Amino acid sequence: MKLALNLCLFLVAFLISGKQSFSLTDYQIKKICKNEKKVSNCINTIQEKKSKLKKGDLIEIPVIPYRR
């Protein structure tokens, strides 16, 4: 019974938040790109990804491995 309740709660939470996508603001984009060599290229790339994300297209997100 507890497993069924947890499964139902998970599905409801997933369906409610599954259709929302959060993208970066312009301020956050500028803050990320300020340390890059080519700031304008970085900003343009991130803004293109932002527009694709808003349209619902898939975007590629690089993953940086954690090192101690």
Side-chain angles (χ1 to χ4, degrees):
M1 185 68 179
K2 189 174 181 181
L3 179 65
L5 178 64
N6 286 339
L7 182 63
C8 290
L9 289 174
F10 173 75
L11 289 175
V12 169
F14 179 72
L15 291 175
I16 289 173
S17 66
K19 293 186 179 182
Q20 297 176 352
S21 62
F22 301 103
S23 59
L24 298 172
T25 62
D26 291 333
Y27 175 74
Q28 289 172 329
I29 292 172
K30 289 177 185 175
K31 188 176 177 183
I32 290 170
C33 292
K34 73 179 182 181
N35 295 330
E36 297 290 324
K37 282 185 177 181
K38 297 182 179 180
V39 176
S40 61
N41 190 18
C42 176
I43 291 173
N44 289 337
T45 304
I46 293 178
Q47 285 180 344
E48 286 176 13
K49 289 182 181 182
K50 177 181 173 180
S51 65
K52 285 182 181 179
L53 184 65
K54 282 187 177 182
K55 289 179 186 175
D57 296 338
L58 295 177
I59 60 171
E60 190 174 318
I61 301 172
V63 178
I64 301 170
Y66 175 73
R67 295 182 186 167
R68 287 187 178 191

